[in-house]
Amino acid sequence: MSHVLSEETHRNILARIPHCTGREISDWLRTVEEGPALRFEEKVSWLRHEHNLAYGHAKAIIHEYDLRRAARRL
């Protein structure tokens, strides 16, 4: 399954995560940073099972993490 979302869809999901989870995106990104080094879908599964997140939320968090990590390398 592709993990590419439209920019608008991605931003809309990210905007809902704090309300749905009670945690800010920055908190989730730190959680991913401190978590195990896995591939994309494995990270999504890890977030879902370890932190009881919905698939779409976990996927959006990992996607955002990857986007920010790639931007830091530039």
Side-chain angles (χ1 to χ4, degrees):
M1 176 185 288
S2 172
H3 62 270
V4 177
L5 302 170
S6 75
E7 183 65 25
E8 180 181 5
T9 299
H10 177 66
R11 294 288 157 216
N12 287 338
I13 293 170
L14 283 181
R16 289 191 307 263
I17 288 173
H19 174 74
C20 295
T21 68
R23 291 177 64 186
E24 294 298 320
I25 296 300
S26 59
D27 293 337
W28 285 114
L29 296 176
R30 267 192 304 281
T31 297
V32 173
E33 182 71 29
E34 295 166 358
L38 303 168
R39 294 181 195 190
F40 184 90
E41 285 296 330
E42 293 168 330
K43 287 180 190 176
V44 171
S45 291
W46 173 76
L47 275 182
R48 291 182 68 211
H49 298 298
E50 287 292 318
H51 300 281
N52 200 31
L53 289 177
Y55 176 77
H57 292 158
K59 186 174 170 181
I61 290 167
I62 300 302
H63 182 61
E64 183 68 15
Y65 174 80
D66 287 348
L67 287 173
R68 291 184 187 197
R69 188 180 68 187
R72 284 193 308 252
R73 285 192 224 154
L74 295 178

